[in-house]
C-alpha cells in the first residue's frame, strides 16, 4: 500500500464530491416526500421543508377518514373575501367547494392490491420454472446446452416494443382481452416471460457455486436428481431464490408499457403505474396526491430491495440484469 | 416414479439419462421463451407485411408499410431524436458512473450507507420518480427555474423546459442518467476492485500524478468493462419507452413513435410492427459495427 500524502484541501474536495453524489441520488425522493406533505398554497415555496404538515393526501389515498373542506388550502385573499364581503351563502359554498376534493376518490388500495397479486404470482411462476431450468444449465451435461444458455442471454437484447404488437394481436385474437380475468391472465403470462431469462441466469450462476460433492453424497445415498433438487439444492439456495423472486417482483411492479396496452379497457384491474399515470393525466392531478401516491408506490420495492441488497448487488454486477 | 418409466430408463446409459433429464428440466423454460418471445418476434416481422385488423382478416400489402414508414419525415425525426437521446444519455451515464465508482472505491466514513443510498434511483419505480423530476422542472413551482431566475438571475423569465419539444429531450437525458448511473457504477466498481494495486505503486514510483495514474493505469484497465457497458446501455436506452414517455410526451424517440402509431387514434398495428422491425434492424446494425470496431471481437 502506498502512503498517500494528505492534502486537506483535497479531502474537503472529496467530501464535497460525495455530498453532491448523495444529493443527486436522493433529491427527487426528498422532493417527492416534501411535496406530498405540503399544502397546495405552499407548492410555490421552494423550501423542501413544509411549513405545515399536510397528511390529507395520504389519508385520502389510504381511505382513512372522509375528505373535508380544507381551510388551510384556501389562500388568505380568498379567505378574507369569504369573511368580509357580503356574498350569499350559495356563492360562499361555491367558492369553498373549489377547495374540497370534488373528483372521484383515487382507488389507491385497489390498484395496490392488483399490483401485489399480479407481481407476486408472476414472480412465483417465473422462479418456479427457472429453478429447474437453471439446475439443468448448471449441473447437467448434454449437447446443445451452450446454445440454449446463449439463446436465453440473447433474449435480453429485445426491447418490449418489439414484443408488444405481436403479443397484443395474439391476445386479442384468442379472445383473452375481452374479459378482465382473461386480461389479467394475459398480463401475468407476459410478466412471467419477461422475468424468466434473468431468473434463469441469476439462479444458474448461484447453483454453480454450490459444491457438487454435497449433491454427490445424496445421489450415492440413492436420491434421484429431482429429489436432490428438492431436498438439497432448494434448501441451500433459499436466499438466492428469495433474491431472484424479489427482483422479478420489482420488474413486474414497475412495468408500464404492456399494462398500458393490455389493461386499457378495464380500469378495475389497473396496476399502480397505470393508476398513477391516469391520476396524473386526469383533471384531479394535484401534486400532493401524486407525490404521496408515488411515495406509497416506491416504499414497498425500496424495502424489499434493502432486504436483499447484498445478494442482489452481487447478482447485478455479475450481469443478471433485465431492463 | 412409475415402474414402466424406470424400465425404459434402464436401457439408457447414465450419460443419456442425464441429457434426457437436462432437456426435461429446461423444457418448460424453452417452451415459454420460444412461444412468448421468439415466436412473437417472427410474427412481428410477418405482421409488418400486412394491413393488420384486430377483428377481421389481415390484408397482405407487401412492402407498402415499409415504404410509407421511411418516406414519412416523422420517422426520420424520431431516428434523429433517438440518436441524440441515446448518445447523450449513455455518455452521461458512463461518465457519472466512472466518477461515482472512483469515489466509492476510496475509504470514507459511512461509505456503506452512501453505497446503498446511491442505488435507489435504479430501484425505485420509474412511474413514481418521474413526478418528482417534473415538479423540479415545473415552470411555476419548480426549484430548477426558481434557482435560475430568482436566485442566480441567469435567466430573466420563467420557462418550461419539459413543455417545449425542443428542450424536453434534455430533461429525458438527465432523467436517464439519474436513473441508470447506479448500474454503470456497480459494473465499474466491481472491475476497479480487481485492479492490481501494484500497478499504481509502479506508476507512483515513475512519478505519475493522480491524473496520469487515471489515464495510464485505471482507464486501460476499465477499457473492456466500459466497452461492454456502453453496448448494453445503448441497446437498452435505444429500446427504452417508459423512461422517456412517462417524463415527457414531447420527446418522440423511436419506441414512443412506434407505440403512438400502433396504439393511438386509428390503431395501425401493421405500421407499428414495421417500425418495430426497422428499429430492430437499426439496432442490430449498430451492434455488429460496434462489436467489430470497438470491442474488436
Amino acid at each position: 500500500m502506498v502512503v498517500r500524502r494528505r492534502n486537506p484541501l483535497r479531502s474537503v474536495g472529496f467530501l464535497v464530491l460525495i455530498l453532491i453524489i448523495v444529493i443527486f441520488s436522493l433529491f427527487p425522493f426528498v422532493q417527492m416526500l416534501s411535496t406530498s406533505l405540503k399544502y397546495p398554497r405552499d407548492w410555490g415555496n421552494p423550501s423542501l421543508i413544509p411549513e405545515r404538515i399536510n397528511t390529507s393526501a395520504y389519508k385520502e389515498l389510504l381511505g382513512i377518514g372522509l375528505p373535508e373542506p380544507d381551510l388551510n388550502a384556501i389562500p388568505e385573499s380568498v379567505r378574507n373575501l369569504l369573511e368580509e364581503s357580503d356574498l350569499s351563502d350559495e356563492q360562499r359554498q361555491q367558492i369553498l367547494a373549489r377547495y374540497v376534493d370534488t373528483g372521484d376518490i383515487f382507488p389507491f388500495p385497489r390498484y395496490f392490491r392488483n399490483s401485489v397479486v399480479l407481481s407476486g404470482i408472476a414472480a412465483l411462476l417465473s422462479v418456479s420454472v427457472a429453478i429447474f431450468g437453471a439446475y439443468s444449465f448448471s449441473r447437467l451435461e448434454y449437447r446443445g446446452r451452450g446454445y440454449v444458455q446463449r439463446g436465453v442471454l440473447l433474449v435480453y437484447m429485445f426491447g418490449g416494443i418489439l414484443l408488444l404488437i405481436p403479443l397484443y394481436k395474439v391476445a386479442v385474437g384468442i379472445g383473452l382481452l375481452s374479459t378482465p380475468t382473461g386480461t389479467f391472465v394475459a398480463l401475468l403470462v407476459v410478466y412471467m416471460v419477461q422475468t424468466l431469462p434473468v431468473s434463469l441466469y441469476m439462479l444458474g450462476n448461484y447453483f454453480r457455486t454450490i459444491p457438487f460433492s454435497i449433491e454427490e453424497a445424496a445421489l450415492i445415498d440413492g436420491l434421484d436428481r429431482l429429489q436432490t433438487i428438492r431436498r438439497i439444492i432448494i434448501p441451500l439456495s433459499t436466499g438466492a431464490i428469495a433474491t431472484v423472486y424479489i427482483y422479478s417482483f420489482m420488474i413486474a411492479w414497475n412495468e408500464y408499457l404492456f399494462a398500458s396496452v393490455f389493461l386499457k379497457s378495464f380500469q378495475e384491474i389497473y396496476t399502480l403505474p397505470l393508476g398513477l399515470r391516469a391520476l396524473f393525466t386526469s383533471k384531479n392531478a394535484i401534486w400532493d396526491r401524486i407525490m404521496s401516491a408515488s411515495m406509497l408506490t416506491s416504499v414497498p420495492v425500496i424495502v424489499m430491495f434493502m432486504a436483499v441488497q447484498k445478494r442482489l448487488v452481487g447478482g447485478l454486477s455479475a450481469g443478471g440484469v433485465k431492463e | 416414479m412409475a415402474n414402466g418409466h424406470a424400465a425404459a430408463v434402464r436401457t439408457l446409459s447414465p450419460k443419456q439419462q442425464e441429457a434426457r433429464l437436462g432437456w426435461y428440466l429446461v423444457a418448460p423454460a424453452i417452451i415459454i421463451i420460444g412461444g412468448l418471445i421468439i415466436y412473437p418476434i417472427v410474427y412481428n416481422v410477418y405482421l409488418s407485411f400486412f394491413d393488420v385488423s384486430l377483428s377481421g382478416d389481415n390484408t397482405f400489402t407487401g412492402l407498402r408499410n415499409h415504404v410509407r414508414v421511411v418516406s414519412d419525415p416523422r420517422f426520420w425525426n424520431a431516428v434523429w431524436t433517438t440518436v441524440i437521446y441515446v448518445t447523450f444519455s449513455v455518455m452521461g451515464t458512463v461518465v457519472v458512473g466512472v466518477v461515482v465508482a472512483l469515489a466509492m472505491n476510496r475509504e470514507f466514513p459511512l461509505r456503506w450507507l452512501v453505497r446503498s443510498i446511491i442505488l435507489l434511483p435504479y430501484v425505485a419505480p420509474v412511474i413514481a420518480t418521474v413526478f418528482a423530476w417534473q415538479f423540479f422542472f415545473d415552470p411555476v413551482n419548480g426549484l430548477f427555474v426558481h434557482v435560475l431566475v430568482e436566485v442566480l438571475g441567469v435567466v430573466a423569465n420563467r420557462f418550461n423546459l419539459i413543455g417545449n419539444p425542443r428542450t424536453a429531450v434534455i430533461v429525458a437525458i438527465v432523467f436517464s442518467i439519474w436513473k441508470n448511473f447506479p448500474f454503470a457504477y456497480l459494473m465499474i466498481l466491481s472491475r476497479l476492485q480487481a485492479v492490481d494495486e501494484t500497478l499504481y505503486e509502479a506508476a507512483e514510483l515513475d512519478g505519475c500524478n493522480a491524473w496520469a495514474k487515471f489515464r495510464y493505469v485505471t482507464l486501460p484497465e476499465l477499457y473492456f468493462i466500459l466497452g461492454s457497458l456502453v453496448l448494453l446501455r445503448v441497446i437498452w436506452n435505444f429500446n427504452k419507452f417508459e423512461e422517456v414517455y412517462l417524463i415527457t410526451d414531447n420527446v418522440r424517440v423511436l419506441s414512443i413513435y412506434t407505440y403512438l402509431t400502433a396504439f393511438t387514434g386509428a390503431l395501425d398495428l401493421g405500421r407499428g410492427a414495421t417500425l418495430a422491425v426497422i428499429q430492430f434492424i437499426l439496432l442490430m446494425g449498430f451492434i455488429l459495427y460496434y462489436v467489430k470496431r470497438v470491442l474488436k471481437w
Side-chain angles (χ1 to χ4, degrees), chain B residues 96-132:
Chain B
V96 176
V98 168
V99 172
V100 174
L102 288 172
M104 294 304 136
N105 203 27
R106 276 174 61 173
E107 293 278 352
F108 60 88
L110 293 180
R111 182 170 73 166
W112 60 274
L113 182 63
V114 174
R115 274 186 175 182
S116 61
I117 281 176
I118 58 179
L119 295 176
L120 290 183
Y122 193 64
V123 176
V126 175
I127 187 73
T129 49
V130 288
F131 299 124

Side-chain angles (χ1 to χ4, degrees), chain A residues 241-257:
Chain A
I241 291 172
T243 306
V244 173
Y245 178 85
I246 286 179
Y247 192 59
S248 304
F249 184 96
M250 283 164 54
I251 291 170
W253 181 269
N254 297 348
E255 208 280 336
Y256 175 84
L257 180 61

Side-chain angles (χ1 to χ4, degrees), chain A residues 1-2 24-25 27-28 31 46 136 141 155 157 165-166 169 225 250 254 257 260 280 290 294 298 309 321 323, chain B residues 18 21-22 37 40 53 116 118 122 125 128 131-136 146 178 201 204 233 235 240 259 272:
Chain A
M1 195 59 210
V2 180
F24 179 61
S25 311
F27 174 76
Q31 176 85 74
S136 165
E141 295 278 344
V155 167
M157 307 295 112
I165 294 167
K169 170 83 173 119
R225 287 280 190 173
M250 283 164 54
N254 297 348
L257 180 61
S260 78
F280 181 68
I290 291 173
S294 299
S298 307
Q309 191 197 350
V321 189
E323 274 192 40
Chain B
E18 187 172 316
L21 181 68
I37 295 183
S53 151
S116 61
I118 58 179
Y122 193 64
F131 299 124
W133 279 100
Q134 279 170 342
F135 191 85
F136 178 66
H146 173 80
W178 177 78
E201 288 171 21
E204 202 141 301
R233 287 261 47 110
I235 293 171
K240 211 48 107 176
Y259 177 84

Side-chain angles (χ1 to χ4, degrees), chain B residues 1-295:
Chain B
M1 214 171 269
N3 275 334
H5 185 69
V9 165
R10 212 169 290 137
T11 58
L12 297 170
S13 71
K15 228 179 174 155
Q16 283 171 312
Q17 273 185 47
E18 187 172 316
R20 171 186 269 224
L21 181 68
W23 281 108
Y24 278 157
L25 291 183
V26 83
I30 292 181
I31 292 169
I32 291 168
I33 290 175
L36 290 154
I37 295 183
I38 308 298
Y39 167 73
I41 289 171
V42 176
Y43 187 47
N44 186 72
V45 175
Y46 170 84
L47 284 179
S48 73
F49 295 104
F50 287 84
D51 183 11
V52 180
S53 151
L54 271 183
S55 43
D57 292 327
N58 303 332
T59 337
F60 182 76
T61 52
L63 286 172
R64 217 187 63 181
N65 280 329
H66 304 75
V67 173
R68 267 174 67 206
V69 164
V70 294
S71 55
D72 189 337
R74 283 177 303 174
F75 166 74
W76 293 105
N77 193 25
V79 171
W80 181 235
T81 311
T82 309
V83 168
I84 292 177
Y85 172 73
V86 171
T87 309
F88 288 98
S89 62
V90 171
M91 270 170 34
T93 304
V94 172
V95 169
V96 176
V98 168
V99 172
V100 174
L102 288 172
M104 294 304 136
N105 203 27
R106 276 174 61 173
E107 293 278 352
F108 60 88
L110 293 180
R111 182 170 73 166
W112 60 274
L113 182 63
V114 174
R115 274 186 175 182
S116 61
I117 281 176
I118 58 179
L119 295 176
L120 290 183
Y122 193 64
V123 176
V126 175
I127 187 73
T129 49
V130 288
F131 299 124
W133 279 100
Q134 279 170 342
F135 191 85
F136 178 66
F137 287 115
D138 186 78
V140 181
N141 300 313
L143 199 57
F144 177 71
V145 176
H146 173 80
V147 168
L148 283 188
V149 177
E150 315 287 335
V151 181
L152 299 176
V154 203
V155 191
N157 295 309
R158 291 185 167 254
F159 55 96
N160 191 346
L161 205 63
I162 297 188
N164 182 345
R166 301 179 58 148
T167 52
V169 70
I170 299 173
V171 177
I173 289 167
V174 170
F175 181 70
S176 171
I177 294 171
W178 177 78
K179 178 85 192 147
N180 295 308
F181 88 85
F183 171 74
Y185 138 77
L186 278 181
M187 274 183 83
I188 297 165
L189 182 66
S190 65
R191 182 68 191 82
L192 272 183
Q193 287 168 338
V195 175
D196 191 351
E197 193 70 29
T198 55
L199 287 174
Y200 290 109
E201 288 171 21
E204 202 141 301
L205 289 179
D206 287 344
C208 286
N209 61 15
W211 168 250
K213 275 191 285 182
F214 173 75
R215 174 70 189 77
Y216 297 107
V217 181
T218 313
L219 218 48
E221 289 281 318
L222 290 181
Y223 182 82
F224 182 72
I225 198 82
L226 291 181
S228 322
L229 186 58
V230 167
L231 181 63
L232 278 177
R233 287 261 47 110
V234 167
I235 293 171
W236 283 330
N237 288 13
F238 188 88
N239 288 326
K240 211 48 107 176
F241 173 79
E242 293 155 47
E243 283 173 23
V244 186
Y245 182 74
L246 293 179
I247 197 148
T248 163
D249 28 26
N250 286 319
V251 178
R252 295 282 151 84
V253 291
L254 275 168
S255 44
I256 292 181
Y257 180 56
T258 306
Y259 177 84
L260 295 177
T261 307
F263 294 105
T264 51
L267 298 192
D268 197 343
L269 293 183
R271 203 141 65 94
T274 310
L275 273 164
V277 170
I278 294 176
Q279 190 178 338
F280 183 68
I281 292 171
L282 289 176
L283 183 59
M284 274 299 151
F286 169 80
I287 293 175
L288 292 178
Y289 172 82
Y290 184 87
V291 164
K292 236 183 157 153
R293 283 301 172 85
V294 179
L295 297 182

